[in-house]
């Protein structure tokens, strides 16, 4: 039996009794001077912090990333500088739309966020288990997420909201097709891939740069639930993926992923069939073969969920020299929004929370003070720059090379090079098996059956534009007139919306 330790209050006072409140007489009211009770209750009253507005439910683990191929001709990032080099990581997986207590098996994309604790500061790769996204302009993001959350009047989830938005946003068809395939219900967090989805920039010392996309391919193999299995799991064990990750690491069965990169020179990107800034599109492997460059292994569970997982804060703005962003509008907005959310959730000094600290390159700057500044706050060092008293100074070689820009500031419609239906159609026709297609149709029909007719019709026209059979099968499942769907598919989106307005 370990040596007894005296219980103490938050301020170190030894506690004499933690079971009986201080009362006036045996059956009298509680005394205001029971400061032990007051402290305990007021801390309890403040236990919850705001949950993330997206990716609220998650699970995380520590591990390492190991470089397995020489990529120094593409990037000067120190953590990628030598084959065999290992960097500590913390990874958080999550669902997107559900609240903190929602079920892990819900149909939803999955977040796949990696924090690399590099010697040049933290580098965060905030990806998803899908290589594309529903929209490609951040002005649409809050609206889109509202459709995945709860209806204002009823506080219920609403298939109508979701399909209304998607049917009015045809660029969503590629991601909708992945979401309603069985990849929308991964069996565990270990059995799914992680993609950067966005295009990022890698650059070298000489100023040469490349456009890149990250693909973390699961070494456990892809494993998904069918729609029915997922629904059953939501009831049986709402935390099944959290449990699976924890248990497998606890028993030494460490999950791993192989990092493959797709890399394009700026010249190749100019000529490329697809717009590399359009997050609703992939770079087909036949056109940009992936290069295997590393391995990600998770081998240590957190010791305290709140401290290490709930308070973990990832942001695509956490970059290191050698890695930059692309002008993908969605990515540009995330550079603001993630950091902004964490300040709201955790306060302006959230970088001091141990899981978020850049532990292999300590902060050294002139930022001071703020709520919960709990380190030495820079001690007695100057808090301004330039100054004549300290050795801390910027070093130009850490700046990203010049970024060529041109054009007038305006609200441009996305100038995509190809229509929004080809890649979704290719996925349906060429990548999915017959069983995948059957699941896709069953999942969509099940979800859409209560949705108003005009929304069903508009959406089926979009399925039809991706692939005629795809559109026909969903229409048939919903009992729609296929001739009408075909006619709607032949119209512009504006005409379709106006034609179906009164249906
Ligand atoms: P490829 O045949 O070279 O690659 C197909 C990719 O699709 C593989 O990465 C595979 O991932 C993934 N995949 C397999 N089954 C499914 C499914 N049911 N749902 C979603 N993805 C699946 O083809 P292309 O590169 O030419 O791409 C064709 C289509 O494949 C794309 O339009 C896109 O929808 C999808 N895709 C493409 C990716 C890319 O980066 N090029 C990445 C993921 C999907 P895995 O190896 O893990 O089985």
């Amino acid at each position: 039996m370990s040596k007894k330790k005296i219980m103490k209050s938050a301020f170190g006072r030894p506690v004499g009794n933690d079971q009986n409140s201080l009362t006036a007489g045996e059956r009298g009211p509680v005394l205001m001077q029971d400061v032990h009770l007051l402290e305990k209750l007021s801390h309890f009253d403040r236990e919850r912090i705001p949950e993330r507005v997206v990716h609220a439910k998650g699970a995380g683990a520590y591990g390492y990333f190991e470089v397995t191929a020489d990529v120094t001709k593409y990037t000067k990032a120190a953590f990628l500088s030598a084959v065999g080099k290992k960097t500590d990581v913390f990874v958080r997986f999550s669902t997107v739309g559900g609240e903190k207590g929602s079920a892990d098996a819900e149909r939803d994309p999955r977040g796949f966020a990696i924090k690399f604790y590099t010697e040049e500061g933290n580098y965060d790769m905030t990806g998803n288990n899908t290589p594309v996204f529903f929209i490609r302009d951040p002005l649409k993001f809050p609206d889109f997420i509202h459709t995945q959350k709860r209806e204002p009047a009823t506080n219920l989830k609403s298939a109508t909201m979701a399909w209304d938005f998607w049917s009015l946003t045809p660029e969503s068809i590629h991601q909708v097709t992945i979401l309603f395939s069985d990849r929308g219900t991964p069996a565990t967090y270990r059995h799914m891939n992680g993609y950067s989805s966005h295009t990022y920039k890698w650059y070298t010392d000489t100023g040469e740069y490349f456009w890149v996309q990250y693909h973390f391919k699961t070494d456990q193999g892809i494993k998904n639930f069918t729609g029915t299995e997922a629904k059953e799991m939501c009831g049986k064990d709402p935390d099944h993926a959290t449990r699976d990750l924890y248990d497998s690491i606890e028993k030494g069965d460490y999950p791993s992923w192989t990092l493959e990169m797709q890399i394009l020179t700026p010249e190749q990107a100019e000529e490329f069939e697809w717009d590399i800034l359009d997050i609703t599109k992939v770079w087909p492997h036949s056109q940009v073969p992936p290069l295997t460059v590393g391995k990600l292994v998770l081998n240590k569970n957190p010791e305290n969920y709140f401290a290490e997982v709930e308070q973990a804060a990832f942001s695509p703005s956490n970059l290191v020299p050698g890695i930059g962003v692309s002008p993908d509008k969605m990515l540009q907005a995330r550079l603001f929004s993630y950091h902004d959310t964490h300040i709201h959730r955790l306060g302006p000094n959230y970088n001091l929370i141990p899981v978020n600290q850049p532990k292999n390159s300590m902060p050294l700057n002139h930022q001071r003070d703020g709520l919960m500044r709990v380190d030495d706050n820079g001690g007695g060092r100057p808090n301004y720059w330039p100054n004549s008293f300290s050795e801390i100074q910027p070093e130009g070689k850490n700046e990203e090379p010049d970024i060529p820009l041109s054009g007038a500031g305006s609200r441009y419609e996305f100038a995509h090079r190809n229509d929004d239906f080809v890649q979704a159609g290719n996925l349906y026709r060429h990548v999915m098996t017959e069983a995948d297609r059957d699941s896709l149709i069953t999942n969509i029909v099940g979800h859409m059956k209560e949705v108003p007719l005009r929304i069903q019709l508009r959406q089926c026209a979009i399925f039809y534009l991706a692939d005629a059979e795809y559109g026909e099968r969903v229409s048939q499942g919903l009992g729609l007139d296929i001739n009408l769907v075909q006619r709607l598919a032949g119209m512009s989106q504006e005409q379709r919306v106006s034609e179906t307005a009164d249906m």
Side-chain angles (χ1 to χ4, degrees):
M1 182 102 169
S2 63
K3 208 165 154 262
K4 232 162 74 170
K5 287 191 180 148
I6 307 292
M7 184 186 289
K8 293 185 185 172
S9 76
F11 299 95
R13 174 173 34 81
V15 174
N17 187 325
D18 196 43
Q19 292 287 286
N20 308 107
S21 305
L22 195 63
T23 54
E26 193 178 350
R27 300 173 63 73
V30 175
L31 292 180
M32 194 67 183
Q33 72 178 62
D34 187 350
V35 291
H36 177 59
L37 173 68
L38 300 188
E39 177 193 294
K40 191 168 176 179
L41 287 182
S42 64
H43 190 274
F44 173 72
D45 294 346
R46 290 163 180 79
E47 275 182 7
R48 290 292 165 271
I49 60 173
E51 69 172 34
R52 295 162 169 88
V53 65
V54 284
H55 298 278
K57 174 82 185 287
Y62 296 94
Y64 66 88
F65 174 76
E66 181 173 0
V67 179
T68 57
D70 183 1
V71 290
T72 51
K73 67 177 176 191
Y74 302 114
T75 175
K76 65 172 183 174
F79 82 103
L80 297 172
S81 62
V83 172
K85 185 159 183 164
K86 286 185 178 175
T87 299
D88 291 343
V89 299
F90 180 73
V91 173
R92 182 175 181 270
F93 305 108
S94 53
T95 51
V96 177
E99 297 86 359
K100 198 171 166 294
S102 59
D104 290 343
E106 293 280 1
R107 181 172 306 286
D108 210 355
R110 302 292 188 267
F112 195 117
I114 309 168
K115 189 178 289 297
F116 299 81
Y117 298 100
T118 92
E119 60 269 58
E120 295 176 307
N122 288 355
Y123 171 53
D124 292 353
M125 209 293 301
T126 50
N128 274 336
N129 71 326
T130 58
V132 293
F133 198 64
F134 299 92
I135 50 171
R136 55 185 165 221
D137 194 300
L139 263 181
K140 304 179 187 184
F141 189 77
D143 300 285
F144 165 60
I145 292 299
H146 287 169
T147 72
Q148 304 299 298
K149 296 263 181 190
R150 290 172 186 277
E151 224 221 7
T154 59
N155 199 36
L156 296 172
K157 294 239 174 175
S158 160
T160 296
M161 288 203 301
W163 290 107
D164 193 21
F165 183 87
W166 288 328
S167 70
L168 294 168
T169 314
E171 73 209 43
S172 61
I173 178 65
H174 196 179
Q175 175 80 326
V176 165
T177 303
I178 296 176
L179 179 65
F180 280 85
S181 78
D182 287 341
R183 290 210 177 193
T185 48
T188 77
Y189 289 135
R190 294 181 299 125
H191 294 92
M192 63 184 204
N193 296 336
Y195 304 90
S196 64
S197 313
H198 299 289
T199 297
Y200 285 86
K201 183 196 267 181
W202 275 7
Y203 58 90
T204 66
D205 262 335
T206 61
E208 212 181 349
Y209 70 91
F210 303 86
W211 299 120
V212 300
Q213 295 207 340
Y214 299 64
H215 304 246
F216 288 87
K217 306 290 279 277
T218 172
D219 294 331
Q220 291 67 242
I222 296 278
K223 215 157 121 190
N224 301 311
F225 286 141
T226 62
T228 309
E229 287 167 342
K231 279 203 184 94
E232 276 171 16
M233 187 53 86
C234 287
K236 209 159 81 185
D237 182 1
D239 306 313
H240 85 281
T242 306
R243 193 183 314 284
D244 171 84
L245 181 69
Y246 191 92
D247 287 351
S248 62
I249 293 175
E250 219 42 31
K251 63 176 191 244
D253 180 9
Y254 301 141
S256 65
W257 286 261
T258 299
L259 173 58
E260 297 177 357
M261 298 297 297
Q262 285 185 296
I263 303 177
L264 284 174
T265 64
E267 297 75 30
Q268 286 171 324
E270 276 299 313
E271 303 291 309
F272 196 43
E273 182 184 354
W274 304 99
D275 188 336
I276 62 154
L277 306 182
D278 181 350
I279 194 177
T280 69
K281 306 294 183 299
V282 295
W283 301 357
H285 292 140
S286 54
Q287 294 172 23
V288 192
L291 182 69
T292 299
V293 310
K295 201 170 193 63
L296 173 73
V297 178
L298 298 182
N299 58 10
K300 184 175 171 299
N301 276 318
E303 283 175 17
N304 183 283
Y305 182 85
F306 180 84
E308 296 160 80
V309 186
E310 187 59 11
Q311 293 198 112
F314 300 83
S315 171
S317 57
N318 287 338
L319 297 161
V320 289
I323 303 182
V325 297
S326 71
D328 171 342
K329 296 186 221 186
M330 291 291 291
L331 174 57
Q332 296 273 321
R334 292 175 77 201
L335 299 176
F336 161 74
S337 213
Y338 278 62
H339 182 60
D340 191 47
T341 296
H342 300 316
I343 292 174
H344 163 63
R345 281 196 322 120
L346 304 165
N349 286 307
Y350 72 88
N351 57 307
L352 298 178
I353 297 169
V355 68
N356 300 325
Q357 272 180 11
K359 57 185 172 185
N360 293 316
S361 172
M362 293 314 285
L364 210 50
N365 56 50
H366 305 91
Q367 295 167 26
R368 296 290 186 274
D369 308 350
L371 203 64
M372 296 307 291
R373 180 82 201 227
V374 292
D375 64 347
D376 74 347
N377 194 29
R381 292 196 311 271
N383 61 357
Y384 61 93
W385 174 259
N387 71 64
S388 345
F389 303 102
S390 83
E391 301 86 50
I392 302 166
Q393 50 187 295
E395 194 177 28
K397 72 173 181 122
N398 294 311
E399 271 302 290
E400 185 175 334
D402 289 353
I403 305 164
L405 300 171
S406 64
S410 181
R411 296 189 182 275
Y412 294 98
E413 249 194 77
F414 213 96
H416 50 104
R417 294 184 189 169
N418 242 296
D419 74 61
D420 289 326
F421 308 107
V422 171
Q423 291 201 352
N426 284 342
L427 174 62
Y428 181 86
R429 284 182 294 270
H430 303 313
V431 177
M432 288 186 175
T433 62
E434 198 51 50
D436 290 336
R437 285 189 283 265
D438 289 347
S439 284
L440 175 72
I441 305 300
T442 307
N443 294 336
I444 292 175
V445 170
H447 200 251
M448 279 187 85
K449 58 181 188 294
E450 304 298 336
V451 161
L453 179 64
R454 62 183 177 282
I455 297 175
Q456 290 181 338
L457 286 167
R458 281 197 312 249
Q459 185 63 41
C460 281
I462 291 173
F463 292 137
Y464 189 90
L465 285 165
D467 182 275
E469 183 199 280
Y470 185 8
E472 282 162 9
R473 287 184 66 183
V474 180
S475 304
Q476 198 178 32
L478 293 170
L480 301 181
D481 173 358
I482 185 61
N483 294 320
L484 177 55
V485 170
Q486 279 170 347
R487 198 161 65 74
L488 291 169
M491 297 175 183
S492 70
Q493 174 69 4
E494 290 70 28
Q495 285 173 318
R496 242 191 322 273
V497 173
S498 121
E499 186 79 9
T500 51
D502 298 322
M503 290 179 174

